[in-house]
Amino acid sequence: MIKFKVIFILTVSLMFCFMPTLAASEVTPTPPSWVVDGEYVIFKNSVAYEPETWGKICNLRKEIEDNAVKFEENLIKFVSEYENVNDAGLYYELGLIYHKYYLNNRFEKGHDWFIKSADLLEHGEKQKIVYMWNARTALFSKMYIDYKVLNEAMCKFIDYPDYNVREIIVSDEMLEYLDNSEKLFLEEPLLTIDKTYIQEKSLPPEIVNGKFMIPVKTVLRMIGGVSELNTKTQEVTLVRAGDTFKLTVGSDIAYKNGKKIILDATPYIKRGVVFLSSRFVSEQFGQVVTWAEKPMILDISENKDASKSSNLEKWLLPMGSYINQYPKIIAYYIPTRDVRFFTGYPVRRSFYSLKAIDQLKEAWDIYNREDLLEQIESLTNYGHNSSFLEYFRFIDGMTDKEYENLLKEVSGIDEYMFPLNKEIGEKWGKRGIMAWDLFRVSNLAQWGYMAGYLTYNEALVAAEPAARKLQKNFSSWEEAYDNYVDGHVWWSRTDVRGIKYEEWGRRQECKELMQKHKEMFDDSLFKRKIISVEGVDF
């Protein structure tokens, strides 16, 4: 019966492939023989279904089934011909062909055709099936150890909690390719942070006595925190933001900042890793834990409920965007910086956390939460602007003759710094180079969150005075960024003699940044009330 079904599908598919000179409306997309009912999707108005393109796709299908000698040559030619076409249906059809090609030849590598297709789709049935094919392809891809490719593919199903992807991911023709380790992998839950694969070696979460237990050290590294185990006493110390926890393996009693609390599940050690309940992580570290039952994915994301009504993030993102865009590319395996996200990274990673800690130490001499809050307060109220205004008052208090004599006496860097200080001071008056300091407050708050010195809500609250000060003294982002650039030029002691004002320092880059992200640089913020985050105390 199954053979008859496959033969029927193949016959129908080839029939449509070789019907001469069909009009666009006459092309009826059909699945290839290796795709069963319910696993093939059709994309409305796709380039793939144009008669000429569809004919080429069908030829490639037939060639891969017949192991034609020129298949690879024709496939490369087809991909080259359509390389500039951004079309979900075309990507999907290519994904199906590559899937069969790799399976036939037992190539242990992956491709990104299905992801390209899914990225162009909205959440729904089509995207879900395309994600399934991506995971299916990744299952026999062994490009990376620890099933990195498969983990990344499986993460996509956190938003499809009712989809039994683990039950259907292994097609009949794939069974012979899987070893026992791959089959066991499909039986283990997957731990994600911010709905993405954590990219670190970690034991999977477990369900013990009806409770989700997770490897706490891995999670803390990802969200910015420290976990230490004393192997002699079995005492575990956890530190994040302003809280320190002391607990003992095998005991349901713990201490939060010295105060006794009762755990909902007893911590234990497995293969040298301490496991704590997901409820503990949720309640004590301000996280939201989500369980997608059928895909078997446990996700941990920041709880932002308290700040949903606040508009402070809308202030902090543009304030910190210039610095948050760099470095744009760190390494091929690190996501590109994106200023539309808090901290400039779309997800949390231990790599980012460590980078933030190092950055705060090396550039700001900040080693802990207390240092950070002290620096944020100082930068908000004083900063480099205090020094700038002091110099300007000194210059502004001179007569024209005294100033002329001063310029005759100075040499070196002072030859251009005194005129620069005077020019900037006369332009901005009492505001000085205020935005140069206030923008960096936003960066400190965001890095502090990434380092684990502040919670997300605390980071917003810490930077609120800077946002209010910016709103009070400026009327647009363009004006504020002009002030920021002038401040950087003054701080960096840049010689701008002979350079047009529009070309000073970072000005052109800042204009390009604002042009690229117009929606983020919303000038109406300067006219609206700043809404605080409620219930957050330092």
Side-chain angles (χ1 to χ4, degrees):
M1 185 68 182
I2 295 176
K3 288 184 177 179
F4 174 77
K5 186 176 183 180
V6 171
I7 292 172
F8 175 76
I9 293 174
L10 177 59
T11 302
V12 173
S13 178
L14 293 178
M15 179 181 70
F16 281 107
C17 288
F18 295 104
M19 289 178 69
T21 60
L22 290 174
S25 61
E26 295 176 331
V27 170
T28 303
T30 55
S33 61
W34 59 90
V35 178
V36 301
D37 289 344
E39 295 181 1
Y40 184 74
V41 291
I42 297 174
F43 303 84
K44 186 178 180 180
N45 300 324
S46 171
V47 172
Y49 312 137
E50 294 177 357
E52 182 180 352
T53 308
W54 183 246
K56 294 175 182 178
I57 289 171
C58 291
N59 283 333
L60 289 171
R61 288 181 179 180
K62 185 176 186 302
E63 287 178 353
I64 187 59
E65 289 190 308
D66 295 343
N67 290 316
V69 175
K70 288 192 174 183
F71 168 75
E72 291 185 14
E73 178 183 335
N74 290 335
L75 179 60
I76 293 172
K77 183 179 178 181
F78 181 83
V79 171
S80 176
E81 182 180 352
Y82 290 90
E83 64 179 347
N84 295 320
V85 179
N86 192 33
D87 182 87
L90 186 67
Y91 292 149
Y92 175 69
E93 293 293 344
L94 275 170
L96 294 177
I97 291 170
Y98 268 91
H99 176 84
K100 180 65 173 176
Y101 176 45
Y102 287 173
L103 198 61
N104 284 358
N105 294 277
R106 301 199 178 191
F107 291 156
E108 295 179 348
K109 58 182 181 180
H111 62 77
D112 61 356
W113 295 115
F114 289 125
I115 284 296
K116 284 184 175 180
S117 177
D119 285 347
L120 296 175
L121 301 175
E122 295 180 354
H123 180 274
E125 188 69 18
K126 288 182 181 180
Q127 187 188 62
K128 180 178 71 175
I129 293 176
V130 176
Y131 277 150
M132 185 279 295
W133 276 103
N134 181 59
R136 181 174 282 175
T137 299
L139 185 58
F140 61 82
S141 168
K142 300 178 181 177
M143 292 174 65
Y144 304 98
I145 59 173
D146 299 322
Y147 302 106
K148 175 181 181 294
V149 175
L150 181 55
N151 274 321
E152 290 179 339
M154 292 298 291
C155 285
K156 304 297 183 181
F157 297 100
I158 185 66
D159 291 325
Y160 295 97
D162 298 324
Y163 188 45
N164 263 326
V165 62
R166 290 176 184 260
E167 294 183 7
I168 64 175
I169 187 176
V170 182
S171 62
D172 292 341
E173 62 179 346
M174 291 173 61
L175 285 173
E176 62 180 291
Y177 298 97
L178 303 183
D179 57 32
N180 287 332
S181 63
E182 289 166 327
K183 293 175 183 177
L184 287 173
F185 172 85
L186 291 175
E187 298 175 3
E188 295 179 342
L190 178 65
L191 177 64
T192 65
I193 302 291
D194 300 331
K195 297 184 178 182
T196 59
Y197 172 49
I198 61 176
Q199 295 184 326
E200 292 188 12
K201 288 184 178 180
S202 173
L203 294 179
E206 300 180 338
I207 301 176
V208 179
N209 297 326
K211 297 182 183 297
F212 292 109
M213 305 298 289
I214 58 179
V216 68
K217 187 170 185 177
T218 298
V219 172
L220 272 182
R221 279 205 308 261
M222 299 294 288
I223 67 175
V226 178
S227 171
E228 294 182 356
L229 170 65
N230 186 318
T231 55
K232 292 183 179 180
T233 64
Q234 299 288 282
E235 185 178 78
V236 182
T237 302
L238 312 174
V239 180
R240 184 178 187 252
D243 296 320
T244 299
F245 298 86
K246 298 282 187 180
L247 50 96
T248 304
V249 173
S251 171
D252 63 356
I253 297 175
Y255 294 88
K256 178 181 180 180
N257 301 325
K259 184 178 179 180
K260 181 179 177 180
I261 60 175
I262 304 298
L263 304 177
D264 69 302
T266 304
Y268 61 87
I269 295 179
K270 180 178 181 179
R271 289 163 57 184
V273 176
V274 177
F275 279 74
L276 287 176
S277 74
S278 62
R279 179 179 172 183
F280 175 87
V281 172
S282 174
E283 293 180 351
Q284 303 301 336
F285 297 132
Q287 305 298 301
V288 175
V289 178
T290 304
W291 170 245
E293 183 175 0
K294 292 185 177 178
M296 296 173 61
I297 302 173
L298 188 71
D299 179 68
I300 297 174
S301 297
E302 188 75 34
N303 187 345
K304 298 183 178 181
D305 287 346
S307 57
K308 279 184 177 179
S309 61
S310 172
N311 59 357
L312 279 168
E313 184 178 284
K314 292 182 178 180
W315 277 96
L316 268 61
L317 291 181
M319 287 171 69
S321 61
Y322 180 85
I323 295 178
N324 274 353
Q325 68 179 324
Y326 292 107
K328 294 186 177 180
I329 298 177
I330 301 174
Y332 73 92
Y333 52 87
I334 300 295
T336 303
R337 300 297 294 271
D338 190 334
V339 298
R340 295 171 299 174
F341 291 92
F342 203 69
T343 74
Y345 294 105
V347 294
R348 290 176 291 176
R349 293 281 183 269
S350 60
F351 175 87
Y352 307 152
S353 177
L354 294 173
K355 182 175 176 60
I357 291 172
D358 289 341
Q359 194 164 14
L360 290 171
K361 284 181 181 178
E362 294 171 7
W364 293 88
D365 204 27
I366 293 173
Y367 288 83
N368 51 47
R369 174 184 172 90
E370 289 71 28
D371 290 345
L372 174 66
L373 293 175
E374 183 179 340
Q375 183 61 260
I376 286 177
E377 182 180 7
S378 175
L379 203 57
T380 302
N381 298 318
Y382 308 103
H384 291 148
N385 196 32
S386 292
S387 298
F388 172 84
L389 290 174
E390 183 178 349
Y391 278 110
F392 178 62
R393 282 193 292 268
F394 170 69
I395 297 171
D396 196 45
M398 292 181 173
T399 63
D400 292 343
K401 187 65 176 178
E402 289 173 333
Y403 181 65
E404 287 178 15
N405 291 334
L406 173 67
L407 294 183
K408 292 177 183 179
E409 296 174 1
V410 298
S411 61
I413 190 174
D414 288 338
E415 289 183 28
Y416 63 83
M417 281 305 297
F418 275 111
L420 178 64
N421 199 306
K422 180 179 176 63
E423 181 177 353
I424 294 176
E426 289 177 346
K427 177 180 180 180
W428 297 106
K430 293 181 180 179
R431 291 179 291 181
I433 55 170
M434 183 186 298
W436 165 244
D437 291 331
L438 300 181
F439 279 12
R440 291 180 299 146
V441 168
S442 173
N443 292 118
L444 287 181
Q446 293 181 60
W447 296 340
Y449 164 64
M450 191 158 54
Y453 297 153
L454 301 174
T455 66
Y456 171 77
N457 292 328
E458 287 175 340
L460 297 182
V461 173
E464 181 177 343
R468 291 187 178 279
K469 196 169 183 178
L470 192 75
Q471 184 189 53
K472 182 179 179 180
N473 287 277
F474 299 93
S475 59
S476 70
W477 288 110
E478 183 177 3
E479 184 187 26
Y481 258 95
D482 265 348
N483 187 265
Y484 167 82
V485 172
D486 288 353
H488 174 259
V489 167
W490 180 85
W491 169 80
S492 61
R493 304 301 189 258
T494 302
D495 186 356
V496 293
R497 289 176 294 183
I499 300 176
K500 294 180 180 178
Y501 180 75
E502 293 76 17
E503 298 174 359
W504 280 19
R506 298 173 171 177
R507 183 159 283 110
Q508 190 57 41
E509 285 183 281
C510 290
K511 286 184 177 180
E512 291 173 359
L513 180 66
M514 287 188 284
Q515 182 66 27
K516 182 178 179 180
H517 299 287
K518 289 181 179 179
E519 74 290 343
M520 188 171 71
F521 292 92
D522 181 7
D523 285 341
S524 69
L525 287 170
F526 290 89
K527 301 174 184 177
R528 300 204 308 262
K529 178 182 178 182
I530 291 179
I531 304 172
S532 304
V533 178
E534 297 181 0
V536 179
D537 297 317
F538 283 105

